[in-house]
Amino acid sequence: MARKDGTGDVEVGADAQGDEHGGGTDDAIYAKIHAAIAAQDLPPGTRLREDEMRQIFGVSRARIRKVFARLAYAGLVTIEPNKGASVFQPTPKEAREIFAARRGIEGTIVRLLAGRIGKAELATLNRHIALEVAAEARRDWHEMVRLSGEFHLLLAEIAGNDILLRFLRELITREALVILVYEKPGQPSCSHHEHQMILEAILAGDAVRATALMEEHLGNVEERLDLDRDTRKSVDLGRLFAGR
């Protein structure tokens, strides 16, 4: 059933989701915005204007608000009264908190994995590190950040704890925004050499060393950031999501 919102625009009621008109499900819209943030295509602080976003996805204001609320719950979007939604803009304090949380979660993950990685899983991790090496050789910093996050998520997936995996996925997505804002020019935030050392300690069954190396690795990533720097970039939302 159609109705008018406070601005006088006609909206589609909840009983007519608009999927048949190409709007897609709420989950699909959420996934597209989430992926754009994780891929650093939506810079921190980007305004997600409600009217523009609902037109891009062909849905009602109510539905785009629902998606924004989910993204805000995940910590990826900030919603302010009278200002609307924008991509999470991490402060230096929030950046440090993200790394502190990762240390706790990933220390547990490597302890779970120590001495328990099978041949197929090892082959997957080795192939992934090879991709990181190739990205560094090409000096493809954007791809290096993406692959680095995926390496940590692969470890979490192999560990088999779905709760830790879910928390880590959101933290890594938020960290991508931290890196986009604060990474020092010419200094990649993550090292495949350190990934290799962590993997070797896990394979050796040395949980203490693997944990120490992971904590050191994440500390090094944090040290490579300039947490006094702040920058914003503009983005064409229509063009971005048309490609997705």
Side-chain angles (χ1 to χ4, degrees), residues 7-39:
T7 66
D9 290 339
V10 176
E11 291 194 278
V12 179
D15 56 336
Q17 293 288 299
D19 293 349
E20 67 273 22
H21 301 300
T25 65
D26 291 351
D27 285 346
I29 297 170
Y30 174 91
K32 288 179 180 179
I33 299 174
H34 187 292
I37 294 172

Side-chain angles (χ1 to χ4, degrees), residues 79-134:
I79 299 176
E80 298 180 82
N82 303 318
K83 290 186 178 180
S86 59
V87 178
F88 170 62
Q89 177 84 15
T91 65
K93 177 177 181 294
E94 288 166 329
R96 293 186 179 97
E97 289 173 348
I98 289 169
F99 282 102
R102 283 194 62 181
R103 288 187 190 97
I105 289 174
E106 298 201 61
T108 300
I109 288 170
V110 295
R111 285 193 293 273
L112 289 172
L113 286 174
R116 299 175 186 171
I117 291 183
K119 290 183 179 179
E121 295 158 338
L122 175 58
T124 297
L125 290 166
N126 281 332
R127 283 196 298 270
H128 193 87
I129 291 175
L131 291 175
E132 293 184 52
V133 172

Side-chain angles (χ1 to χ4, degrees), residues 40-47 49 180 231-237 240:
Q40 300 182 317
D41 291 330
L42 277 177
T46 300
R47 285 285 305 279
R49 293 176 176 81
L180 193 60
T231 183
R232 295 192 182 197
K233 299 177 182 178
S234 61
V235 61
D236 185 329
L237 295 176
L240 171 63

